[in-house]
Amino acid sequence: AKYMIIDGNRVEFNDEPNILALVRKAGIDLPTFCYYSDLSIYGACRMCVVEDQWGGIIASCSTPPKDKMEVKTNTPKLHQHRKMILELLLAAHCRDCTVCDKNGKCRLQELAHRFGIKSVRFENKTEEMELDTSSASIIRDPGKCILCGDCVRMCNEIQNVGAIDFAHRGAKMIVSPAFNKKIAETNCVNCGQCAAVCPTAAITVKSDLKDVWKAIYNPKKRVVVQVAPAVRVALGEEFHMKAGENVIGKIVAALRRLGFDAIFDTSVGADLTIMEESKELLKKLEAGENKYPLFTSCCPGWIRYAETKHKELLPYISTCKSPMEMFGAVIKEHFKGLDSTEGVETVSVAIMPCSAKKYEASREEFKRNDIPDVDYVITTIELVKMIKEIGIQFEEIEPEAPDMPFSLYSGAGVIFGVTGGVTEAAVRRVVADKSPKALKDIEFLGLRGMEGVKVCELQVEENSIVRIGVVSGLANAEALIEKIESGEEHFDFVEVMACPGGCIAGAGQPFSHKEEKNARALGMYKADKVSQIKRCEENPLMLSLYNGMLKHRTHELLHVSYRK
Ligand code: HC0
Ligand code: SF4
């Protein structure tokens, strides 16, 4: 086997892409800002340097391992070098840590602490830079940028959006939208993936906590909350629990203690979505060959991408509102009568793993009589902050169930939170065979797994094969769209989620690497496994909704048109 000598120890390698990966394999957590394993290597931060056997300093992230090469990670030269970089960064950085959104989570703060930096030898050159608060979902604070470029590469390479880039040269260099525009004036799709990889608070997800607290403390408001599928498998990570552990019962209990008046699960909305979307799919299959598939509509980042880059696809995107917005409309309708008799006003809050949901909730299409169906969206991380602020001992709290009358949901609704889940839920609905064996077969169709592109075929009736594409990450979506438009590939149904891996990897979730994301995905499927209801149509709540509130109002309450 090939090997390197790292700090005197032999470390074997085969397909590790760079020395940094090997160093980490050797159990050394080399400090870095800009190395994020899913992105291309940029080598900007120079923190991950190592010394070779001739005393040369090399960036370990951008150097491939070489057989029998010797490096050291801990020498006086390296120590000085890293301290110097940190001090230079700190000299150019805002140091209002105590009031920073990333306080306690900032990589610069963490490394300054790790290196015991007590003072900075250079003059503080921080300039007051204007915040960009134009977006409904993210805030840019260029004064806190350390130019690692992770956000730029995320937005370009993974999301194919290119809303932000480096501007100016030398000391004036910043990351910003082209022509100094505000982020809301660009093609930004609000996915927040830039914020998810930002090591500092240069890009953060906007917070709506103030408004939510205000509503909770107002006795004239009935504050109703829904919790998205993916939140349950990630929130525990912030309380020393394992990634993927399903903590929905604890979340419900915590929400009650926080003062929410009624607590529901967005998976109910997901069941509604499949009831509607499967109708569209069957209609489409009946109508026969079409160049374009039916695209899913539940991801607001994807909707925005289609609106800005692929208007021609809009007629082929499902008219279903997202589960959040369907359920939002149902919730507002449900409490309407009670509100007027009790003299209160229902405020609808959604807890989402996603930053784009904030933008979705603010869209005009989701207002009826000028009132949004979902008033506030807060992220998983914002909910963590609420729980910590009040001091609820999350690890100790006993699980509780959501409220009537919307307390039932299917496992199919829960798996919406992971890439391929929406499709699997739809497939369970449209196949005629409802046996346990058929359910198992669907599990192995190829819809599961964290790959960014999945293709599979499904036999619905004797001689009809349905071709399905599942993509996550918008660059993957773009590649698939190109194949569809050129006629190279044909699909009947395509699921698109903007975030790589689906909602479990949304920008509102705790910071994660591949391992956590994989564990969260497994957690979603485990939640389905233990649920007694496997298909949306088996959820008794659907029957009562369709015979009641939705009887003549599915179009009004559950569908939307983006074709402006
Ligand atoms: Fe998702 Fe959803 S699955 S988008 O990822 O469809 O955010 O979790 O809530 O709406 O259900 C996010 C997650 C949702 C919606 C659902 C869908
Ligand atoms: Fe790019 Fe998404 Fe960030 Fe917008 S939110 S700048 S689209 S990465």
Side-chain angles (χ1 to χ4, degrees):
K2 290 186 281 189
Y3 67 92
M4 277 185 58
I5 304 288
I6 296 172
D7 297 327
N9 296 311
R10 183 184 155 121
V11 186
E12 291 184 1
F13 67 92
N14 31 62
D15 57 355
E16 279 79 2
N18 48 38
I19 295 178
L20 178 60
L22 266 200
V23 171
R24 288 188 175 156
K25 194 172 165 186
I28 304 279
D29 176 26
L30 266 197
T32 57
F33 287 112
C34 65
Y35 179 74
Y36 193 80
S37 54
D38 299 336
L39 298 172
S40 68
I41 304 288
Y42 180 51
C45 80
R46 310 287 302 173
M47 281 296 283
C48 68
V49 284
V50 292
E51 206 175 311
D52 64 18
Q53 59 255 63
W54 302 282
I57 287 190
I58 49 180
S60 68
C61 70
S62 49
T63 314
K66 257 191 243 124
D67 197 20
K68 304 188 183 59
M69 183 179 183
E70 270 185 65
V71 294
K72 288 192 176 122
T73 67
N74 171 20
T75 68
K77 212 197 278 181
L78 293 173
H79 192 74
Q80 279 315 316
H81 174 94
R82 292 195 185 112
K83 268 197 137 151
M84 173 84 92
I85 293 176
L86 277 174
E87 285 183 50
L88 283 168
L89 284 173
L90 286 167
H93 196 91
C94 156
R95 274 180 257 157
D96 296 337
C97 291
T98 50
V99 289
C100 178
D101 193 57
K102 271 291 194 61
N103 188 12
K105 302 257 180 218
C106 167
R107 191 79 173 137
L108 182 58
Q109 187 187 44
E110 180 202 333
L111 291 183
H113 178 71
R114 244 171 86 175
F115 280 77
I117 307 236
K118 293 277 188 296
S119 62
V120 174
R121 280 166 287 174
F122 313 101
E123 183 197 348
N124 195 330
K125 299 184 304 218
T126 41
E127 283 172 42
E128 279 283 318
M129 281 202 246
E130 210 188 322
L131 290 185
D132 178 354
T133 56
S134 61
S135 157
S137 37
I138 56 170
I139 294 182
R140 288 179 50 245
D141 184 352
K144 291 176 178 163
C145 177
I146 58 169
L147 299 172
C148 69
D150 275 3
C151 57
V152 173
R153 282 171 302 137
M154 177 54 87
C155 193
N156 278 288
E157 294 170 12
I158 309 289
Q159 299 301 54
N160 191 47
V161 174
I164 43 178
D165 204 346
F166 289 104
H168 315 302
R169 284 163 184 275
K172 292 239 175 297
M173 189 186 268
I174 58 164
V175 168
S176 113
F179 311 114
N180 231 346
K181 280 191 189 161
K182 297 269 186 231
I183 192 79
E185 296 159 2
T186 69
N187 279 350
C188 168
V189 303
N190 297 282
C191 69
Q193 287 296 307
C194 50
V197 292
C198 178
T200 67
I203 306 183
T204 49
V205 175
K206 205 172 215 172
S207 174
D208 290 279
L209 277 185
K210 246 197 217 144
D211 292 320
V212 171
W213 278 122
K214 218 166 116 192
I216 287 179
Y217 291 146
N218 184 339
K220 289 264 158 228
K221 309 268 185 195
R222 179 200 320 278
V223 190
V224 179
V225 64
Q226 54 169 308
V227 187
V231 175
R232 72 202 64 202
V233 290
L235 185 131
E237 291 163 38
E238 293 289 311
F239 296 97
H240 314 292
M241 297 158 98
K242 279 205 215 89
E245 194 166 335
N246 181 0
V247 293
I248 187 64
K250 283 170 175 282
I251 292 173
V252 171
L255 289 169
R256 278 213 182 92
R257 292 190 187 32
L258 286 170
F260 288 95
D261 298 301
I263 300 150
F264 303 126
D265 195 314
T266 308
S267 311
V268 173
D271 281 340
L272 281 171
T273 300
I274 292 304
M275 293 296 288
E276 293 300 304
E277 204 160 80
S278 57
K279 283 187 222 161
E280 277 176 284
L281 175 60
L282 291 173
K283 220 191 246 165
K284 187 190 154 52
L285 294 175
E286 265 164 37
E289 278 278 310
N290 189 314
K291 179 172 167 188
Y292 290 107
L294 174 67
F295 287 97
T296 59
S297 58
C298 35
C299 170
W302 152 238
I303 295 293
R304 173 96 179 122
Y305 186 81
E307 285 177 321
T308 51
K309 293 213 172 178
H310 287 287
K311 278 209 165 29
E312 78 283 7
L313 298 182
L314 295 181
Y316 305 100
I317 295 180
S318 161
T319 64
C320 288
K321 290 181 184 174
S322 72
M324 176 183 91
E325 289 296 341
M326 283 194 180
F327 202 18
V330 166
I331 287 170
K332 281 268 165 102
E333 281 306 306
H334 175 75
F335 287 106
K336 214 155 108 191
L338 265 184
D339 278 7
S340 54
T341 49
E342 291 174 10
V344 299
E345 190 193 337
T346 288
V347 173
S348 182
V349 178
I351 301 179
M352 294 281 140
C354 170
S355 59
K357 288 282 170 192
K358 290 179 185 265
Y359 153 78
E360 182 180 74
S362 76
R363 289 185 64 134
E364 290 302 318
E365 291 91 337
F366 298 116
K367 289 180 185 154
R368 291 179 299 133
N369 304 324
D370 254 1
I371 303 168
D373 276 331
V374 175
D375 297 284
Y376 304 111
V377 170
I378 59 171
T379 62
T380 309
I381 285 293
E382 284 176 278
L383 176 58
V384 167
K385 287 182 177 164
M386 291 182 91
I387 294 171
K388 288 190 172 164
E389 182 174 339
I390 297 311
I392 294 168
Q393 299 298 299
F394 193 78
E395 296 92 322
E396 312 292 328
I397 201 167
E398 291 293 337
E400 292 177 14
D403 286 300
M404 294 291 278
F406 304 125
S407 58
L408 292 176
Y409 51 86
S410 77
V414 176
I415 57 173
F416 262 56
V418 56
T419 169
V422 176
T423 307
E424 186 167 339
V427 170
R428 287 184 194 179
R429 168 81 177 129
V430 299
V431 296
D433 186 352
K434 305 285 177 186
S435 68
K437 176 175 178 303
L439 192 69
K440 202 77 194 163
D441 289 346
I442 295 170
E443 186 179 330
F444 294 103
L445 265 183
L447 296 167
R448 298 191 179 188
M450 293 293 273
E451 300 85 0
V453 185
K454 291 173 280 190
V455 174
C456 63
E457 287 179 352
L458 170 76
Q459 182 132 19
V460 201
E461 275 158 27
E462 212 167 325
N463 41 23
S464 88
I465 300 272
V466 178
R467 199 146 188 274
I468 298 170
V470 173
V471 284
S472 65
L474 292 168
N476 290 328
E478 181 62 38
L480 199 81
I481 291 166
E482 276 165 27
K483 285 186 186 158
I484 291 168
E485 302 213 310
S486 71
E488 190 185 328
E489 289 214 52
H490 176 265
F491 296 97
D492 299 294
F493 186 81
V494 169
E495 172 192 314
V496 186
M497 288 291 179
C499 296
C503 292
I504 48 161
Q509 298 276 62
F511 179 81
S512 63
H513 286 296
K514 271 200 184 105
E515 298 73 39
E516 286 90 8
K517 287 175 190 150
N518 290 337
R520 291 174 191 171
L522 292 177
M524 293 264 82
Y525 293 118
K526 231 167 137 182
D528 168 47
K529 264 254 141 73
V530 299
S531 102
Q532 280 131 313
I533 309 173
K534 301 292 188 204
R535 301 173 184 84
C536 60
E537 72 271 23
E538 293 163 358
N539 181 350
L541 188 53
M542 294 298 117
L543 197 67
S544 58
L545 275 171
Y546 277 91
N547 284 333
M549 181 199 300
L550 296 172
K551 190 132 200 190
H552 303 291
R553 298 179 71 192
T554 51
H555 182 77
E556 176 203 350
L557 296 175
L558 308 183
H559 291 265
V560 62
S561 170
Y562 294 114
R563 284 163 237 169
K564 279 170 290 181

Coordinates of all heavy atoms in Angstrom, one line a residue, residues 16 23 61 69 95 105 117 137 143 165 170 208 220 225 251 280 293 299 386 413 424 445 450 468 486 509 513 529:
E16 N -7.6 9.1 -1.2 CA -7.7 10.4 -0.6 C -7.3 11.5 -1.5 O -6.2 11.3 -2.2 CB -6.9 10.5 0.7 CG -7.5 9.8 1.9 CD -7.4 8.3 2.0 OE1 -6.8 7.7 1.0 OE2 -8.0 7.7 2.9
V23 N -4.2 13.8 6.7 CA -3.9 14.3 8.0 C -5.1 14.1 9.0 O -4.9 13.7 10.1 CB -3.5 15.8 7.9 CG1 -3.4 16.4 9.3 CG2 -2.2 16.0 7.2
C61 N -4.6 21.1 1.5 CA -5.9 20.9 0.8 C -5.7 20.8 -0.7 O -6.5 20.2 -1.3 CB -6.9 22.0 1.2 SG -6.5 23.6 0.4
M69 N 6.1 10.3 1.0 CA 6.3 11.7 1.4 C 6.2 11.9 2.9 O 5.4 11.2 3.5 CB 5.3 12.5 0.7 CG 5.5 14.0 0.8 SD 4.1 14.8 -0.1 CE 4.6 16.5 0.2
R95 N -15.3 42.7 15.5 CA -15.1 41.8 16.6 C -16.2 42.0 17.7 O -15.9 41.9 18.9 CB -13.7 42.0 17.2 CG -12.6 41.2 16.5 CD -11.2 41.4 17.0 NE -10.4 42.2 16.2 CZ -9.4 42.9 16.6 NH1 -9.0 42.9 17.8 NH2 -8.7 43.6 15.7
K105 N -20.5 29.8 17.2 CA -20.6 28.8 16.1 C -19.6 29.3 15.0 O -19.6 28.8 13.9 CB -22.0 28.8 15.4 CG -23.0 28.4 16.4 CD -23.4 27.0 16.1 CE -24.5 26.6 17.1 NZ -24.4 25.2 17.6
I117 N -5.3 33.3 20.9 CA -4.9 34.7 20.5 C -5.5 35.7 21.5 O -6.8 35.7 21.7 CB -5.5 34.9 19.1 CG1 -5.0 33.8 18.2 CG2 -5.1 36.4 18.6 CD1 -4.2 34.2 17.0
S137 N -34.7 35.8 3.0 CA -34.2 34.6 3.7 C -32.7 34.7 4.1 O -32.3 34.0 5.1 CB -34.3 33.4 2.8 OG -34.1 33.7 1.4
G143 N -18.7 42.9 6.2 CA -17.6 43.2 7.2 C -17.1 42.0 7.9 O -16.1 42.0 8.5
D165 N -20.1 36.8 -6.2 CA -18.8 36.5 -6.7 C -17.8 37.4 -6.1 O -18.2 38.4 -5.4 CB -18.7 36.7 -8.3 CG -17.6 35.8 -8.9 OD1 -16.7 35.4 -8.1 OD2 -17.6 35.7 -10.1
G170 N -7.2 43.1 -4.4 CA -6.3 43.4 -3.3 C -7.1 43.6 -2.0 O -8.0 42.9 -1.7
D208 N -36.6 35.5 12.2 CA -37.9 36.0 12.5 C -38.3 35.8 13.9 O -39.5 35.8 14.2 CB -38.9 35.4 11.5 CG -38.6 35.9 10.1 OD1 -39.1 37.0 9.7 OD2 -37.9 35.2 9.3
K220 N -54.0 38.1 22.5 CA -55.0 38.2 21.5 C -54.6 37.3 20.2 O -55.3 37.3 19.2 CB -55.1 39.7 21.0 CG -55.8 40.5 22.1 CD -57.3 40.6 21.7 CE -58.1 41.0 22.9 NZ -59.3 40.2 23.1
V225 N -48.5 26.3 15.2 CA -47.2 26.0 14.6 C -47.2 24.6 13.8 O -47.9 23.7 14.3 CB -46.1 26.0 15.6 CG1 -46.2 25.0 16.7 CG2 -44.7 25.9 15.0
I251 N -39.8 17.7 20.4 CA -40.0 19.0 19.7 C -41.4 19.5 20.1 O -41.6 20.6 20.5 CB -39.8 18.9 18.2 CG1 -38.3 18.7 17.9 CG2 -40.3 20.2 17.6 CD1 -38.0 18.5 16.4
E280 N -52.4 14.6 -10.6 CA -51.8 15.3 -11.8 C -51.0 14.3 -12.6 O -50.9 14.3 -13.8 CB -50.9 16.4 -11.3 CG -51.6 17.7 -11.1 CD -50.7 18.8 -10.5 OE1 -50.3 18.7 -9.3 OE2 -50.3 19.7 -11.3
P293 N -41.6 16.2 -18.4 CA -42.2 15.4 -17.3 C -43.1 16.4 -16.5 O -43.1 17.6 -16.8 CB -41.0 15.0 -16.5 CG -40.0 16.1 -16.7 CD -40.2 16.7 -18.1
C299 N -40.4 22.6 -3.5 CA -39.2 23.3 -3.1 C -39.2 24.7 -3.6 O -39.0 24.9 -4.8 CB -37.9 22.5 -3.6 SG -36.4 23.4 -3.3
M386 N -34.7 29.3 20.7 CA -35.9 29.5 21.6 C -35.8 28.5 22.7 O -36.0 28.9 23.9 CB -37.2 29.3 20.8 CG -37.5 30.3 19.8 SD -39.1 30.0 19.0 CE -40.2 30.9 20.0
G413 N -45.5 10.9 4.2 CA -45.4 12.3 4.4 C -44.1 12.7 5.0 O -43.5 13.7 4.7
E424 N -41.1 8.8 -3.8 CA -41.5 7.5 -3.2 C -43.0 7.6 -2.6 O -43.7 6.6 -2.8 CB -40.5 7.1 -2.1 CG -40.8 5.7 -1.5 CD -39.7 5.1 -0.7 OE1 -38.6 5.5 -0.8 OE2 -40.1 4.1 0.1
L445 N -36.5 0.6 -5.5 CA -36.6 1.0 -6.9 C -35.3 1.8 -7.3 O -35.0 2.0 -8.5 CB -37.8 2.0 -7.0 CG -39.1 1.4 -7.5 CD1 -40.1 2.6 -7.7 CD2 -38.9 0.7 -8.9
M450 N -28.3 9.2 -1.2 CA -27.9 10.6 -1.3 C -27.3 11.1 -2.6 O -26.8 12.3 -2.7 CB -27.0 11.0 -0.1 CG -27.6 10.8 1.3 SD -28.9 12.0 1.5 CE -27.9 13.3 2.2
I468 N -38.6 7.9 -14.1 CA -38.6 8.9 -13.0 C -37.2 9.5 -12.8 O -36.2 8.7 -12.8 CB -39.1 8.3 -11.7 CG1 -40.5 7.8 -11.8 CG2 -38.9 9.3 -10.5 CD1 -41.0 7.0 -10.6
S486 N -32.9 18.7 -24.9 CA -32.3 18.2 -26.1 C -32.9 16.9 -26.6 O -32.5 16.5 -27.7 CB -30.8 18.0 -25.9 OG -30.6 16.9 -25.1
Q509 N -30.8 24.1 9.0 CA -30.4 23.0 9.9 C -29.1 23.2 10.6 O -28.3 24.1 10.2 CB -30.3 21.7 9.0 CG -31.5 21.2 8.3 CD -32.5 20.4 9.2 OE1 -33.0 20.9 10.2 NE2 -32.8 19.2 8.8
H513 N -21.8 17.9 8.0 CA -21.0 17.3 6.9 C -21.8 16.1 6.4 O -22.9 15.8 6.8 CB -19.7 16.8 7.5 CG -18.7 18.0 7.7 ND1 -18.3 18.8 6.7 CD2 -18.2 18.5 8.9 CE1 -17.5 19.7 7.2 NE2 -17.4 19.6 8.6
K529 N -40.6 3.7 8.8 CA -40.7 2.3 9.2 C -41.6 2.1 10.4 O -42.4 1.2 10.4 CB -39.3 1.8 9.6 CG -38.6 1.1 8.5 CD -38.5 -0.4 8.7 CE -38.7 -1.2 7.4 NZ -37.6 -1.1 6.5

